[in-house]
Amino acid sequence: MSLIWTAIIGLAIGAVAKFLMPGPQGGGIIVTMLLGIVGAFVAGFIGRAIGFYPAGAGAGFIASVLGAILVLWVYGKFFRKT
């Protein structure tokens, strides 16, 4: 059940990040879900590295959206469509 919950929250985070990030991002529902999950992972990793979160704690919703926006930005820099 936790994997389903992770996918649903990842979809919400990815959708908010795509809405807030300017420009076309492309990708379907699976890509959006993976974007949200990776964004939450990145936000948790960075938050633990600089001391915002204790070991084993996850990132919050806003931090996860910011992490997903960071992932979208990096993805856009490396895989720009011509």
Side-chain angles (χ1 to χ4, degrees):
M1 191 65 181
S2 68
L3 289 176
I4 294 172
W5 187 246
T6 301
I8 291 170
I9 297 299
L11 180 62
I13 291 169
V16 170
K18 280 187 167 186
F19 177 75
L20 293 176
M21 186 77 175
Q25 286 83 30
I29 192 168
I30 301 296
V31 173
T32 303
M33 191 180 304
L34 291 174
L35 169 70
I37 293 170
V38 171
F41 177 75
V42 167
F45 180 76
I46 292 171
R48 282 188 294 279
I50 60 177
F52 285 159
Y53 303 117
F61 188 83
I62 295 173
S64 297
V65 170
L66 292 175
I69 290 173
L70 177 66
V71 170
L72 265 176
W73 181 77
V74 169
Y75 180 80
K77 291 295 179 188
F78 283 109
F79 300 104
R80 185 173 305 249
K81 291 182 180 180
T82 59

